């Protein structure tokens, strides 16, 4: 049976974790897309420090006060050497860590580069729990001036990530998915723009720059393992996202990557809406529209062609969302190709896609087929 000290320690740890779970991190998108020249520990200390900032009440002299115990809870360390490791992490952050920020100047049609050490001053002592951190004044606009082009995410999502690349990619995905949610609710964007936010793409050269891997992992299979596959596995395991990616070739080389983001369903997130009549009516209307689209897809001759080309399985046909997605986002493009080249061209295109499809795309059949037909129609337009 645990003694009183152990019980108190466990209760204190639980209280600290409850506080951490409430925290949000808010950063300007220019900081999200900057190059973090630091290791994962320095980056996570910075994220924890940012979560202490109240944007409605700017910290005086850019100073925030951190709890040592909360910091140790954040990093899940409890051994006797934690204070030494904390000191080493702080020293490393101050000596080596900086953000390389690229700001686009639309007026001058160019860009400006900034290198900013985010936290140049840290103070702590051996007789209390307080750690004093002072942010560099130049970093504050990216943490305080957040009227537009900013991204918010849960601190606990970052806490569980154990790779610098996982954190960087997660924040980048949040930046896009937050825009998808914002414009879905507020309007102001076309359907294809919304899909672009939910399925963002990035060139490999840009991803290397973002993750600071221009000169390492030069062999693509190793780059994919360290910077894509392992981070995405971590993100899927520890954050609010489920993410898949597909590689896009240009010639024989991988040119870019498309991420497909879905948000995990959390039971309590929308519980307050259960008694909202307007919400229930909107939800019922949306489900009715999706059912109608799925029914139309079942009757479509394009569904038959997809089955014949082994691009659609009977299991996928039972999924209303998948069939509605095909009817709404894919079949109109097939119709356009049919008008241009005839139904045989549609069948030939499906056969080609089936021969080239890779395993990682199978779970996103509607999105995958949409991308394939859009690229093909774009090729036809270029030829024209």
């Amino acid at each position: 049976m645990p003694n009183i000290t152990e019980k108190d320690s466990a209760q204190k740890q639980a209280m600290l974790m409850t506080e951490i779970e409430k925290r949000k991190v808010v950063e300007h998108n220019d900081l999200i897309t900057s190059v973090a020249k630091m290791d994962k520990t320095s980056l996570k200390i910075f994220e924890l420090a940012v979560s202490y900032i109240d944007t409605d009440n700017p910290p005086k002299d850019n100073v925030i006060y951190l709890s040592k115990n909360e910091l140790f809870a954040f990093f899940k360390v409890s051994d006797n050497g934690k204070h030494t490791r904390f000191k080493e992490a702080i020293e490393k952050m101050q000596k080596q860590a900086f953000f390389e920020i690229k700001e686009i100047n639309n007026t001058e049609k160019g860009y400006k580069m900034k290198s900013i050490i985010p936290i140049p001053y840290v103070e702590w002592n051996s007789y209390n729990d307080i750690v004093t951190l002072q942010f560099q004044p130049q970093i504050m606009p990216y943490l305080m001036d957040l009227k537009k082009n900013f991204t918010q995410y849960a601190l606990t999502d970052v806490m569980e990530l154990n790779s610098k690349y996982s954190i960087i990619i997660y924040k980048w995905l949040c930046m896009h998915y937050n825009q998808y949610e914002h414009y879905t609710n507020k309007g102001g964007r076309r359907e294809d723009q919304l899909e672009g936010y939910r399925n963002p793409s990035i060139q490999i050269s840009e991803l290397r720059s973002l993750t600071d891997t221009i000169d390492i992992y030069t062999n693509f299979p190793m780059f994919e393992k360290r910077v894509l596959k392992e981070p995405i596995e971590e993100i899927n395991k520890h954050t609010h996202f489920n993410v898949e990616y597909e590689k896009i070739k240009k010639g024989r080389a991988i040119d870019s990557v498309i991420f497909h983001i879905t948000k995990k369903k959390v039971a309590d997130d929308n519980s307050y809406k259960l008694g909202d009549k307007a919400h229930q009516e909107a939800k019922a209307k949306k489900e009715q529209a999706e059912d109608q689209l799925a029914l139309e897809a079942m009757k479509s001759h394009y569904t038959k062609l997809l089955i014949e080309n082994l691009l659609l399985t009977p299991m996928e046909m039972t999924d209303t969302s998948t069939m509605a997605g095909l009817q709404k986002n894919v079949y109109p493009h097939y119709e356009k190709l049919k008008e241009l080249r005839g139904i045989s061209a549609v069948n030939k295109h499906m056969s080609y896609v089936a021969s080239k499809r890779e395993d990682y795309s199978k779970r996103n059949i509607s999105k995958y087929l949409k991308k394939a037909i859009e690229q093909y129609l774009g090729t036809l337009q270029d030829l024209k």
Side-chain angles (χ1 to χ4, degrees):
M1 177 176 286
N3 58 37
I4 300 299
T5 304
E6 288 173 335
K7 284 183 178 179
D8 290 345
S9 177
Q11 289 175 351
K12 190 172 184 179
Q13 190 80 358
M15 289 174 64
L16 289 169
M17 287 307 301
T18 300
E19 274 300 311
I20 290 173
E21 286 170 1
K22 297 176 184 177
R23 297 275 183 78
K24 301 289 182 183
V25 182
V26 188
E27 297 176 6
H28 195 279
N29 289 349
D30 283 344
L31 192 60
I32 300 290
T33 57
S34 68
V35 181
K37 298 279 189 176
M38 60 189 81
D39 64 11
K40 69 170 184 180
T41 303
S42 299
L43 188 55
K44 290 176 83 168
I45 290 175
F46 174 75
E47 298 294 319
L48 177 61
V50 172
S51 75
Y52 273 77
I53 293 177
D54 180 356
T55 54
D56 294 325
N57 298 289
K60 185 179 179 181
D61 298 324
N62 305 325
V63 172
I64 59 108
Y65 301 96
L66 193 72
S67 158
K68 269 191 283 189
N69 285 323
E70 186 169 291
L71 189 143
F72 296 144
F74 180 71
F75 281 97
K76 295 185 176 180
V77 292
S78 57
D79 55 84
N80 294 330
K82 60 188 178 183
H83 289 88
T84 302
R85 284 157 54 191
F86 167 66
K87 179 183 176 183
E88 291 172 350
I90 290 296
E91 288 176 350
K92 191 172 184 179
M93 181 181 71
Q94 291 181 296
K95 291 177 181 178
Q96 299 179 11
F98 67 94
F99 286 104
E100 192 174 81
I101 302 171
K102 183 177 182 179
E103 289 186 356
I104 303 299
N105 189 323
N106 295 322
T107 305
E108 300 295 333
K109 295 184 178 179
Y111 60 87
K112 178 167 59 177
M113 297 298 299
K114 297 180 181 178
S115 292
I116 304 175
I117 298 171
I119 303 175
Y121 180 79
V122 182
E123 179 185 313
W124 75 97
N125 56 55
S126 61
Y127 48 81
N128 64 29
D129 185 45
I130 298 173
V131 180
T132 303
L133 294 91
Q134 185 174 41
F135 288 97
Q136 186 81 272
Q138 288 81 359
I139 201 73
M140 294 308 291
Y142 302 98
L143 307 176
M144 293 297 304
D145 187 14
L146 302 173
K147 295 178 182 177
K148 59 181 181 178
N149 300 327
F150 65 89
T151 297
Q152 176 177 282
Y153 44 91
L155 178 64
T156 47
D157 279 359
V158 174
M159 180 180 75
E160 297 291 348
L161 300 178
N162 292 310
S163 157
K164 166 186 173 178
Y165 309 127
S166 304
I167 299 169
I168 291 169
I169 291 175
Y170 168 73
K171 291 166 63 175
W172 187 86
L173 293 172
C174 277
M175 179 180 71
H176 289 277
Y177 195 84
N178 285 9
Q179 292 181 81
Y180 166 74
E181 289 190 319
H182 173 78
Y183 289 114
T184 297
N185 294 327
K186 300 293 184 181
R189 290 295 185 271
R190 302 188 307 272
E191 185 68 28
D192 62 315
Q193 291 175 315
L194 291 176
E195 285 299 303
Y197 292 139
R198 190 170 59 174
N199 305 285
S201 65
I202 186 170
Q203 289 191 316
I204 295 299
S205 58
E206 186 181 347
L207 182 59
R208 282 189 175 277
S209 177
L210 180 68
T211 54
D212 197 24
T213 53
I214 293 175
D215 298 320
I216 60 176
Y217 306 135
T218 53
N219 177 273
F220 183 80
M222 182 57 69
F223 172 81
E224 180 180 14
K225 179 183 178 183
R226 296 297 188 194
V227 183
L228 279 170
K229 187 176 180 181
E230 291 176 354
I232 293 301
E233 287 175 354
E234 271 203 343
I235 289 168
N236 288 342
K237 183 177 180 180
H238 297 300
T239 77
H240 290 86
F241 288 153
N242 280 318
V243 183
E244 295 176 357
Y245 70 91
E246 58 181 293
K247 299 168 286 189
I248 305 300
K249 286 186 176 181
K250 192 173 185 179
R252 304 179 78 179
I254 304 299
D255 176 70
S256 58
V257 174
I258 299 176
F259 296 96
H260 301 295
I261 313 168
T262 55
K263 202 167 187 179
K264 295 174 184 174
K265 293 181 179 179
V266 182
D268 293 333
D269 275 359
N270 294 313
S271 58
Y272 69 95
K273 294 181 178 179
L274 295 179
D276 188 329
K277 185 177 180 181
H279 169 71
Q280 291 176 336
E281 290 176 353
K283 182 180 178 182
K285 188 175 180 180
K286 182 179 179 181
E287 290 175 350
Q288 186 178 3
E290 193 172 74
D291 289 343
Q292 181 61 36
L293 286 169
L295 182 61
E296 292 173 13
M298 292 292 291
K299 297 177 180 179
S300 174
H301 56 289
Y302 296 127
T303 297
K304 181 181 177 182
L305 288 177
L306 288 174
I307 294 171
E308 291 174 353
N309 284 283
L310 303 179
L311 285 168
L312 189 66
T313 66
M315 182 64 69
E316 287 167 329
M317 288 181 66
T318 64
D319 185 73
T320 301
S321 180
T322 296
M323 297 306 293
L326 289 171
Q327 181 64 31
K328 182 179 180 181
N329 301 314
V330 181
Y331 291 176
H333 293 302
Y334 288 162
E335 196 64 28
K336 185 174 181 180
L337 178 57
K338 178 184 173 184
E339 292 173 3
L340 291 172
R341 297 286 181 94
I343 191 65
S344 60
V346 179
N347 193 31
K348 186 176 179 181
H349 166 73
M350 289 182 183
S351 178
Y352 175 80
V353 171
S355 69
K356 297 294 182 182
R357 190 174 68 157
E358 299 184 29
D359 287 341
Y360 51 75
S361 64
K362 287 183 178 178
R363 295 186 195 173
N364 295 283
I365 188 64
S366 177
K367 297 167 188 173
Y368 181 73
L369 294 176
K370 179 177 181 287
K371 186 68 178 179
I373 186 60
E374 284 178 342
Q375 288 180 333
Y376 183 59
L377 288 173
T379 303
L380 292 182
Q381 186 63 34
D382 290 341
L383 291 173
K384 185 178 177 181

